[in-house]
Every structure is written in structure tokens, then in C-alpha cells.
Amino acid sequence: MAVSGLAVALLIIYLTLSPPTIYVASKHGLKHGAIIGWFFLFTFCTLRIVSSAIELHDAHSTSAALVASIGLSPLLAAACGVLHESRSYLIPKSRRALDTPFMVFFHLLVTTAIALVAAGAAKLNNTSLPPDQLKRSQGLVKGGMVMLLLGWISLAMVTLATGIAAVQHTSSHTSTKLSGSSGAKTLLLAVALSIPFLGIRVLERLVYFFTENPDLNPVTGSLGLRVGLEVIEELIVTSALLIAGIITRNIKSTTPVDQF
């Protein structure tokens, strides 16, 4: 009953958060690829809605667990997209030469990682699999989770570097770019706030797949652990990004952007 109640609560929460995400995406627009981050945030909300609906239909569904695990990927991608948007307003264009390559690298890394996790996790509950195939599936899942961990580490490093660069650029007085960049700083702050909670989620999934601890199962595991290590973290990240997006909804028309 408690698990069903949680599924209902999550269904309502993410159904409520989805429309504002669409609004934010439309306000931030295509400029500097801003829509990428908000698109992935909406994708994450959609996956949470789907996994909650499946769980309500079947509390022990392996499909719900699989969708829940996959949901971590778009949340990381959303944070990366919002970080990219903030850098477009905070950092001079001449110092952002590696931004697009990093975006491509990050999304390829995360997409590949979640594909491996999905491919492996889909077979882990199949008791009829021979031992060699089961071991191969476990290897796919573990490899995918290590890649997600590397993705989170790279995201954290770029976020830290962006904060340092923004402070240095502000104090140098070599450009007027940051005169109206409070919105960009708000986006950066939201990403920085999200980093530790994303780290908890990645590490929690990593521990689950490496130890196969049933208490950490995203559907049938301990309710307390699920709420403390999954639900709260995801809600904080989603809320932080969404609130920052609403606050900065007019950023593209109010913040000047360097063209050098």
C-alpha cells in the first residue's frame, strides 16, 4: 500500500511539473541550444510518469524498474544542457571553443551508458538465461554504470570550472558581458546545487547493480531507501532546474552575449 501511495504521489508530482517544463523550454527557445536541457528535463518527467503508471498496474514489474533506471540519463543530460546555456551567457565566445565538443561527448557517453544498462538490466531477471549470458548482461550493466559515473564526474568538473571562470572574468573587467548575467548565474547555481544530488543517484544505482542488494531495487526495494536515495534527490534536481528556468525565462532577451 505504501509503495502504491508513493507511485501515485510521483505520478501526480511529475504530471504537475511537466507543463511548466514545456513553458520554460518555449521561453528559453533555441538560442545557444537552450532547448536541449529543457527537452531532456521534460523527457525525465515523462519517464517518471510512465514508470509510476507501470508500477501502479504491477507493483513488481521489471519494466517499471528498467524505466526508472533509464530515467537517470535524461536528468544528467538536462543538467548538462542547462550548464551549456549558462556558459553561453557567462563565458566569452572566444573561451568556449570546447563547449560543443563537450556537449557531443557527454551526450554520447550518457546515451551509450544507458543503452548498456538497459540492454543488460532487461535480461537480469530472466532466470532461464544460461550463466554465461547472465554474466555478460551483468557486465553490460556494470560497464554502463561506470560510464554514467564518469559522465557525472566530467559534469561536476565543468560546472566547477565554469564557476571559477565566471568569477575571474567578472573581476578582470575586460568585458561588459557580465553586466546583465544574473540570469546566467542563476542557471549555473541551479546546476551546481544539482551536482551532489545527481552524484548520490549515480552512486546509488552503481551500488545496486554491483551488489544486487534487493533493498535498493527501484520498485520492490526498501521504501525508506528509495525515498531517501532516489525520490528526494530527483525532486530536488528537477525543482532546482525548473525554478531557475522560470526565473530566467526572459534571459535570451535581457542578457547580452559576447560575439568575440
Side-chain angles (χ1 to χ4, degrees):
M1 183 65 69
V3 174
S4 297
L6 178 61
V8 171
L10 291 177
L11 185 63
I12 294 173
I13 289 171
Y14 286 106
L15 280 172
T16 303
L17 292 177
S18 293
T21 305
I22 297 175
Y23 168 75
V24 170
S26 66
K27 293 295 290 183
H28 283 250
L30 300 173
K31 193 174 184 180
H32 309 300
I35 198 171
I36 295 175
W38 308 113
F39 166 77
F40 279 111
L41 188 60
F42 176 75
T43 301
F44 169 75
C45 291
T46 302
L47 287 174
R48 278 293 165 263
I49 292 169
V50 171
S51 64
S52 297
I54 294 175
E55 186 178 346
L56 281 174
H57 178 70
D58 181 2
H60 300 284
S61 173
T62 56
S63 297
L66 181 59
V67 174
S69 297
I70 293 175
L72 184 56
S73 173
L75 195 58
L76 283 167
C80 181
V82 175
L83 175 63
H84 176 78
E85 182 182 5
S86 71
R87 286 179 61 85
S88 298
Y89 295 104
L90 282 172
I91 310 297
K93 186 176 180 180
S94 58
R95 297 170 58 186
R96 290 188 280 114
L98 297 178
D99 275 25
T100 298
F102 174 75
M103 278 279 288
V104 173
F105 160 77
F106 184 86
H107 287 291
L108 284 176
L109 179 66
V110 171
T111 301
T112 302
I114 211 62
L116 292 176
V117 171
K123 299 179 180 179
L124 287 181
N125 293 313
N126 188 347
T127 56
S128 63
L129 279 180
D132 60 327
Q133 291 189 23
L134 184 61
K135 186 175 181 180
R136 189 179 303 116
S137 296
Q138 291 173 334
L140 288 176
V141 171
K142 292 176 180 178
M145 288 309 306
V146 170
M147 292 175 69
L148 277 181
L149 178 61
L150 292 175
W152 172 76
I153 292 173
S154 67
L155 183 63
M157 292 176 63
V158 174
T159 301
L160 177 61
T162 302
I164 294 173
V167 171
Q168 291 177 341
H169 190 58
T170 302
S171 60
S172 67
H173 301 293
T174 58
S175 170
T176 60
K177 178 181 181 180
L178 298 182
S179 59
S181 64
S182 61
K185 292 178 181 178
T186 299
L187 293 176
L188 178 60
L189 181 61
V191 176
L193 174 64
S194 300
I195 290 297
F197 296 102
L198 287 170
I200 293 173
R201 281 294 291 115
V202 172
L203 290 173
E204 184 270 338
R205 286 294 85 197
L206 190 73
V207 171
Y208 168 63
F209 283 119
F210 270 80
T211 65
E212 299 182 8
N213 186 339
D215 288 337
L216 294 176
N217 186 288
V219 174
T220 61
S222 166
L223 181 61
L225 289 177
R226 183 179 174 188
V227 172
L229 297 177
E230 297 181 20
V231 175
I232 292 177
E233 284 74 15
E234 291 177 351
L235 284 175
I236 289 175
V237 173
T238 304
S239 300
L241 295 179
L242 186 56
I243 291 172
I246 293 174
I247 293 174
T248 62
R249 61 191 179 277
N250 296 318
I251 189 171
K252 65 179 181 180
S253 59
T254 60
T255 307
V257 181
D258 271 342
Q259 297 300 323
F260 58 87

